[in-house]
Amino acid sequence: MVTSRPDTLWFTRCPVPTATGIAADQGWLAAEFAADGIAVRSLQESGAGDVRGEHFRHRLATLFREGGNVPALWARSGGAPTRLVGLTWIEERQVIVARPGSGIEGPDDLKGRRLAIPHRAIEIDFWRAMALRGFDGALRQAGLSLDAAVPVDLDGDVPGQWEAELTALREGRVDAVYTKGAVAVEAAARHGAEVAIDLDSFADRRSRVNNGTPRPITVDQRLLDDHPDLVVRFLAVLLGAADWAADRPAEVARILQDETGSGPAGVAGAYRGDYHRGLHAGLDDGRLTLLAEQEEFLRRHGFHDTPVDVTTWADPAPLAEARALVPRLPFIAQEQS
């Protein structure tokens, strides 16, 4: 339990567009709780080495996490006492890349092809899960399953994101690689890979259900039980940050360069259109249904064992209360005055 008022709130996020990352960059999370004498710290900061692994395990009672659903579902399945308090959906350039002249131009062209499936020696191999789910999403557009192609296991424990997969593609050991996000845009260009299938182009959102779509915001049940006001206020700051971002694409792009570790070209290539207007969390039935489909896929492929009932895991009350607080946030009220 977290009976006494905590002196520190922790947060963690993935290197992608998140309201958490924007709020941290602008100093709004620290400002919100400063008068309470509560420090707000990131697991990504240099002095957090002893708790950094909680980004995956989420057994730190005062942690807020906005990140991929593969670790979040794995942690919940393994007994972590978390609650799902929000889901976002942000398009972030999910594509299948291939060598020039490969002949792969659509989902049906993946039939019989060698697909790059990385394996990394980490607690929960979300990289492998992303590849499997990405190819599954493409193949289903042609009425096919993963069985229609040839998975090629790769040692993913090499420096650099996507390097193992893209090196195997360049060397002709695989025919196709699933990639997503800003770093992947730049990595694919370095390796001479071309977009063969753009998953973002399909009207069916199920083709893009993956680790980051939808992306959960989770908190510990103990913090929610003992100090619900802190959870509500934290979520209010995230909603306010999403409001602020909606009219500032250039500022969001700058923040994303820091968050993702990529340059302007990578951010521009990965995050297109009005993505900066879609950072708001919600718990509508549509997002919950897509997350439930992801949970079933991950369990079927052995990423976790105990089923996670997404509906009972979700608690919509804190987010609903948080919406009422947004107009009172200093950085929002100042803009409205």
Side-chain angles (χ1 to χ4, degrees), residues 46-116:
S46 59
D50 56 335
V51 293
R52 195 166 295 144
E54 298 305 320
H55 177 79
F56 299 109
R57 294 186 290 268
H58 202 151
R59 293 179 182 270
L60 184 61
T62 57
L63 176 66
F64 293 80
R65 182 184 189 276
E66 184 174 7
N69 60 51
V70 176
L73 287 163
W74 169 76
R76 175 69 175 182
S77 176
T82 60
R83 291 304 298 270
L84 174 65
V85 292
L87 285 169
T88 62
W89 181 282
I90 300 165
E91 305 288 1
E92 50 181 338
R93 191 181 185 265
Q94 297 189 66
V95 298
I96 308 297
V97 299
R99 293 184 301 279
S102 69
I104 301 176
E105 299 178 352
D108 53 340
D109 296 323
L110 292 176
K111 186 175 182 178
R113 298 289 189 142
R114 298 167 299 168
L115 312 182

Side-chain angles (χ1 to χ4, degrees), residues 9 31 43 46 60 130 136 147 153 179 188 198 208-209 235 239 251 261 263 290 298:
L9 294 176
L43 292 189
S46 59
L60 184 61
M130 285 197 299
D136 176 79
D147 294 337
D153 289 345
T179 70
D198 185 350
R208 298 185 294 285
V209 171
L235 291 175
L239 292 173
E251 274 294 288
L290 294 174
L298 294 171

Side-chain angles (χ1 to χ4, degrees), residues 171-238:
E171 295 176 350
R173 292 183 280 127
V174 299
D175 299 311
V177 172
Y178 163 83
T179 70
K180 72 99 177 169
V183 172
V185 172
E186 298 175 341
R190 286 198 308 272
H191 285 270
E194 295 183 348
V195 174
I197 302 169
D198 185 350
L199 294 173
D200 296 345
S201 68
F202 299 123
D204 184 4
R205 288 205 301 173
R206 286 177 171 81
S207 68
R208 298 185 294 285
V209 171
N210 210 305
N211 183 43
T213 40
R215 181 173 292 116
I217 300 174
T218 51
V219 299
D220 194 286
Q221 181 71 65
R222 294 165 291 184
L223 183 65
L224 189 56
D225 288 343
D226 296 342
H227 303 288
D229 61 306
L230 299 182
V231 175
V232 170
R233 288 167 59 193
F234 195 101
L235 291 175
V237 174
L238 300 193

Side-chain angles (χ1 to χ4, degrees), residues 11-29 42 44 64-67 215 217 234 237-238 241-242 244-245 251-252 254-256 258-260 279:
F11 69 89
T12 184
R13 77 284 194 196
C14 289
V16 294
T18 63
T20 301
I22 291 171
D25 177 88
Q26 296 295 303
W28 295 327
L29 290 169
S42 165
Q44 282 75 32
F64 293 80
R65 182 184 189 276
E66 184 174 7
R215 181 173 292 116
I217 300 174
F234 195 101
V237 174
L238 300 193
W244 177 90
E251 274 294 288
V252 175
R254 176 196 64 77
I255 294 170
L256 275 182
D258 292 336
E259 290 285 291
T260 64
L279 294 167

